[in-house]
Amino acid sequence: MDMKRWQKITVAVSALVVVAGGLVYLNRKALILYAVTHAERPEIGPNVPVVWAQGPVTARIPAAQRPPNIIFILADDLGINDISTFGGGLAGGRLKTPNIDSLAAQGALFDQAYAGNGTCAPSRAMLMTGRYPTRTGYEFTPTPDGMGRIVKMFADGAQGGRPPVAYNRDVAESAPSYADQGLPGSEITLAEVLKTRGYRTAHIGKWHLGDRGESSPNAQGFDESLLMANGLHLPENAPNVVNAKLASDPIDKFLWARMQFAAAFNGGKLFEPAGYLADYWTDESIKYIEANKNRPFFLYLAHWGIHTPLQATKADFDAVGDISPHRLRVYAAMTRALDRSVGRIVEKLKQAGLSDNTIIVFSSDNGGAGYIDIPDVNKPYRGWKLTLFEGGIKVPMFVKWPARIKPGTHVNTPVAHIDVMPTLAGAGGAALPEGVEIDGRDMMPAAMGKGRITRPNDALFWQSGYNQVVRAGDWKLLVDGKQNKNWLFNLKTDPTERTNLAVANASKVAELKALLATHHKGRKPALYPYTLESAITIDKTAGEPFVKGDEVAWWPN
């Protein structure tokens, strides 16, 4: 090779190095995102047909004389205004949810129903145990390894004047892994209680209470578990998928980079689900009902919809019409799939002759999320997921049991997720565990019109680190320890929390703080630490411009 040619090659390589160096600098975030999210990605095999254990081929006891079958359907991040039951519905009422509406109308609707927390995992723990985090220590939602760092990185410089996100990397690196941040095996779940009455138990879908050992669904009372082992509703490039990525949301960036399309059965190897998750979980639920139609069963169907990443089938996307913007149309299509699931479950029970003596409960783990940038999901309530304002914790909850509950029943007494466990245990004839303090109350007598739900001081409680909330009667106090700020509302006269009475009614603040102090006396420390703190705008989505003076609620997780 002559010298001139070598010099040209050297210059070209040098230029390439300079350009590459610039690209590396410009795309540092993308490279870090790739490194964090592609480390140790699990191998996912082809679909494996699920074989549910077959119950009796013929019924030994008629369905009407057996303990009731129980189906609990839990949506994920469903806003109170996402379903048309409450008079609104998505896209200015353009999207209706007829199957969910019918379910609500055919049983008892709890007009003042609450999630256990403003995020999913603590709510799920309360649903399963009937116990507050003050007793269990299960206080924060575990996040996948590396998520906090990515959220912090993409939030920096993109907050639009919002307070910066705080991330404690040292705490995150010393905490147990995501899969090990589970509900302890010493806690007794609804599934375990129902098994004492001979119920066959199954979990399908999301769990988020620990994937291994004593915290796995199979170790927590479920005979069978078809687990959502990762977080895509369909492969990103599937021919029948429509995706909506959220440019303004750091969480969304992590999910798209990290999540895969995977399931696991009874702790086995990962495999691809046989279709869009909402439909696949429903297909398998129907198979489970068929296999167990001649014996009492408990089915916990925990949907991933309508949680991000936003993905819908092309058929649902087309069916909802020309809703805009694009993310709202995909979100509406996902809601349509959730509604279809409910309708198919109800129809299967009819076909199997099980409708009258099957209890169906429907709820959501928390309110709609502000980071999806769809303003009306929790309308007319303030706040979002990641807050303890009404928008973050007010959820649909209704129970259908044709043999016992009259259609069109309304219960106005406040209830919460801690009440689900004692309610369904009681309906199944199971005794609550001895020596275990259960905070929830049985809602079934009120659903049957046979009395009012009572609890000490008519009080319900919520907590997340330095956030403490009590609702006692019509009064609700929110204490934000990060800002040293109190909000006090009378929900009877101000159900949408517009007028803060904390300064004007200091005596009520003191009274409610005394209830909080009593509730937290002997509080069990959080099992796992929070590593991320974010300021959530109460009255704006994460995509709306932040203006100095906008109220925020800090959220540790």
Side-chain angles (χ1 to χ4, degrees):
M1 182 182 297
D2 60 55
M3 183 60 65
K4 287 186 177 181
R5 187 179 179 190
W6 174 252
Q7 288 175 338
K8 288 181 180 179
I9 292 174
T10 302
V11 169
V13 170
S14 299
L16 182 61
V17 168
V18 171
V19 171
L23 289 174
V24 167
Y25 176 78
L26 292 173
N27 291 288
R28 178 181 64 88
K29 290 183 177 180
L31 289 171
I32 293 174
L33 178 65
Y34 183 89
V36 169
T37 57
H38 285 72
E40 299 182 15
R41 292 172 70 86
E43 182 178 345
I44 300 169
N47 179 256
V48 177
V50 173
V51 180
W52 299 100
Q54 179 65 51
V57 177
T58 58
R60 300 188 183 97
I61 303 173
Q65 298 175 22
R66 298 196 299 260
N69 303 308
I70 298 172
I71 300 176
F72 186 85
I73 303 174
L74 187 66
D76 199 315
D77 289 1
L78 183 73
I80 197 73
N81 192 47
D82 288 339
I83 58 177
S84 42
T85 298
F86 300 97
L90 277 171
R94 287 185 62 185
L95 181 77
K96 301 299 180 184
T97 49
N99 295 300
I100 296 175
D101 296 348
S102 178
L103 185 67
Q106 291 171 11
L109 191 157
F110 295 89
D111 294 307
Q112 300 192 70
Y114 289 99
N117 193 270
T119 58
C120 57
S123 286
R124 293 164 195 269
M126 282 180 256
L127 284 167
M128 286 290 108
T129 66
R131 285 156 57 84
Y132 284 119
T134 46
R135 299 193 194 279
T136 66
Y138 206 83
E139 190 166 339
F140 304 112
T141 291
T143 55
D145 300 330
M147 181 174 173
R149 182 185 178 191
I150 297 301
V151 170
K152 164 69 174 172
M153 182 179 68
F154 278 97
D156 285 349
Q159 292 292 292
R162 289 175 172 81
V165 171
Y167 172 60
N168 193 323
R169 185 171 181 176
D170 291 338
V171 171
E173 290 179 349
S174 63
S177 69
Y178 169 69
D180 291 322
Q181 292 187 36
L183 184 70
S186 57
E187 295 293 336
I188 300 175
T189 69
L190 173 60
E192 290 175 292
V193 169
L194 288 173
K195 280 176 68 67
T196 67
R197 287 285 293 157
Y199 276 80
R200 185 73 184 179
T201 59
H203 153 263
I204 294 178
K206 183 174 177 178
W207 179 241
H208 212 161
L209 295 175
D211 292 344
R212 293 196 287 239
E214 66 181 31
S215 299
S216 70
N218 294 109
Q220 291 280 16
F222 288 98
D223 296 310
E224 296 168 290
S225 172
L226 179 55
L227 178 70
M228 184 191 83
N230 221 292
L232 291 183
H233 299 269
L234 272 175
E236 182 178 350
N237 297 318
N240 62 326
V241 72
V242 180
N243 303 312
K245 296 186 177 182
L246 307 175
S248 63
D249 178 31
I251 297 173
D252 200 61
K253 295 181 186 298
F254 176 86
L255 294 177
W256 281 107
R258 174 66 174 267
M259 296 293 101
Q260 296 174 273
F261 185 56
F265 186 58
N266 290 340
K269 294 182 179 180
L270 302 187
F271 60 86
E272 279 208 356
Y276 184 70
L277 281 189
D279 294 325
Y280 175 59
W281 301 143
T282 308
D283 291 342
E284 295 302 327
S285 295
I286 288 171
K287 293 176 186 177
Y288 177 80
I289 292 169
E290 179 63 27
N292 293 279
K293 63 184 178 181
N294 293 320
R295 61 181 171 184
F297 63 81
F298 168 46
L299 170 60
Y300 173 34
L301 172 55
H303 278 291
W304 182 222
I306 44 181
H307 196 294
T308 52
L310 299 184
Q311 295 182 287
T313 65
K314 183 69 164 55
D316 284 327
F317 183 80
D318 292 341
V320 299
D322 59 346
I323 294 172
S324 62
H326 178 74
R327 65 180 179 278
L328 176 56
R329 184 171 175 180
V330 173
Y331 186 85
M334 296 174 74
T335 307
R336 184 177 189 268
L338 182 67
D339 184 69
R340 177 172 60 251
S341 172
V342 171
R344 291 181 62 204
I345 296 293
V346 171
E347 183 58 31
K348 175 59 184 177
L349 293 172
K350 289 179 182 177
Q351 292 174 358
L354 300 175
S355 292
D356 283 352
N357 201 31
T358 296
I359 298 170
I360 306 178
V361 182
F362 180 90
S363 192
S364 175
D365 61 349
N366 46 250
Y371 53 74
I372 61 174
D373 198 18
I374 300 175
D376 293 337
V377 290
N378 298 322
K379 188 178 179 181
Y381 301 104
R382 296 181 75 191
W384 319 94
K385 173 186 179 180
L386 307 177
T387 78
L388 296 174
F389 282 78
E390 295 288 278
I393 56 176
K394 195 171 182 66
V395 294
M397 183 126 72
F398 23 86
V399 54
K400 177 186 175 184
W401 188 6
R404 299 289 185 89
I405 299 174
K406 293 180 180 179
T409 299
H410 282 258
V411 178
N412 195 45
T413 308
V415 297
H417 281 164
I418 54 164
D419 300 319
V420 170
M421 187 273 208
T423 298
L424 296 182
L432 295 178
E434 293 184 7
V436 178
E437 292 286 345
I438 301 296
D439 296 301
R441 295 293 184 266
D442 189 345
M443 301 182 289
M444 200 60 75
M448 296 178 184
K450 295 181 180 180
R452 184 178 180 275
I453 301 163
T454 61
R455 59 185 98 237
N457 300 301
D458 283 336
L460 288 166
F461 298 92
W462 295 265
Q463 70 187 71
S464 183
Y466 41 69
N467 292 318
Q468 297 182 16
V469 176
V470 57
R471 174 175 177 168
D474 293 321
W475 289 95
K476 180 180 175 184
L477 175 70
L478 301 92
V479 178
D480 182 337
K482 178 84 170 182
Q483 302 179 86
N484 194 27
K485 183 171 183 177
N486 302 320
W487 288 272
L488 176 69
F489 303 104
N490 186 320
L491 296 179
K492 184 175 182 179
T493 58
D494 183 20
T496 58
E497 299 176 311
R498 301 295 168 181
T499 304
N500 185 0
L501 302 173
V503 174
N505 199 338
S507 62
K508 180 59 71 173
V509 171
E511 176 188 329
L512 295 177
K513 281 192 172 183
L515 291 181
L516 283 169
T518 300
H519 177 68
H520 286 273
K521 188 176 182 180
R523 168 182 179 177
K524 185 172 183 176
L527 293 173
Y528 315 108
Y530 67 82
T531 59
L532 199 68
E533 296 176 86
S534 305
I536 310 299
T537 46
I538 300 167
D539 299 306
K540 291 180 176 180
T541 69
E544 294 178 275
F546 181 83
V547 177
K548 186 176 181 180
D550 285 343
E551 279 195 287
V552 301
W554 278 88
W555 188 261
N557 195 73

